[in-house]
Amino acid sequence: QQQVKQSPQSLIVQKGGISIINCAYENTAFDYFPWYQQFPGKGPALLIAIRPDVSEKKEGRFTISFNKSAKQFSLHIMDSQPGDSATYFCAATKGNEKLTFGTGTRLTIIP
Amino acid sequence: EPEVTQTPSHQVTQMGQEVILRCVPISNHLYFYWYRQILGQKVEFLVSFYNNEISEKSEIFDDQFSVERPDGSNFTLKIRSTKLEDSAMYFCASFPRTGGAEAFFGQGTRLTVV
């Protein structure tokens, strides 16, 4: 029940396109859903996060869509750029408890 | 911008040896975590630490692991007798006082057990 499932495992998108990564969770007690971006050799860095009381959050080119009834949330990267090439992890948590991470998506933006 | 600092960045050790991984969390944070990431795999929770004691630990965090905050600033992870399968990136993370907000991760320590 603690799992967070993430897809796809890898994604190749042309520059300027939209990158979409999906996650699904099981534990309805989760109340905070962050996305982390990780470059090779670096730690995960918070990109954007959402709480279940809203269905969408947008920060620049990054948008989280949240579907509470389906227990799913997704990250959309608009106008994808080569600098967005990284591994993206969705995560979920309740309060100050541990983050439960998805399995990660390796995103590659090609010119 | 405040950051979580980890040392060393890379540690190579022989199987059976003890290692200590060090972390300096952000100064006003109260919740501290260790995670690990085996190469190419997902980030896994090891242990959480609050108010100078372990608040939760995973099944990975067995008797060979320990954590402490020896001087009120540093936060350490000790692996008593390393095994080959302990080779991974180890990340320290801290949460701010208010809690429920984003975790700040360090750059990680790459542990290689040979």
Side-chain angles (χ1 to χ4, degrees), chain A residues 19 21 35 48 50 55-65 74-78:
Chain A
S19 305
I21 305 171
W35 283 89
I48 186 172
I50 197 167
S55 60
E56 186 175 283
K57 183 174 181 181
K58 184 175 181 179
E59 289 183 2
R61 296 185 294 109
F62 301 92
T63 300
I64 299 179
S65 297
S74 59
L75 175 69
H76 292 64
I77 306 175
M78 312 299 287

Side-chain angles (χ1 to χ4, degrees), chain A residues 25-80:
Chain A
Y25 64 98
E26 298 168 355
N27 187 349
T28 55
F30 288 145
D31 61 4
Y32 182 72
F33 301 88
W35 283 89
Y36 285 85
Q37 181 187 55
Q38 185 182 31
F39 293 106
K42 303 292 185 183
L46 179 70
L47 187 63
I48 186 172
I50 197 167
R51 295 197 182 274
D53 53 346
V54 297
S55 60
E56 186 175 283
K57 183 174 181 181
K58 184 175 181 179
E59 289 183 2
R61 296 185 294 109
F62 301 92
T63 300
I64 299 179
S65 297
F66 188 84
N67 185 331
K68 189 173 179 178
S69 61
K71 294 187 284 186
Q72 295 175 346
F73 59 109
S74 59
L75 175 69
H76 292 64
I77 306 175
M78 312 299 287
D79 187 27
S80 299

Side-chain angles (χ1 to χ4, degrees), chain A residues 38 43 46 51 96 98-99, chain B residues 33 35 37 45 56 99-100 102:
Chain A
Q38 185 182 31
L46 179 70
R51 295 197 182 274
N96 295 318
K98 64 180 185 291
L99 287 161
Chain B
Y33 299 79
Y35 291 84
Q37 185 180 31
F45 168 75
E56 187 178 358
E102 65 272 17

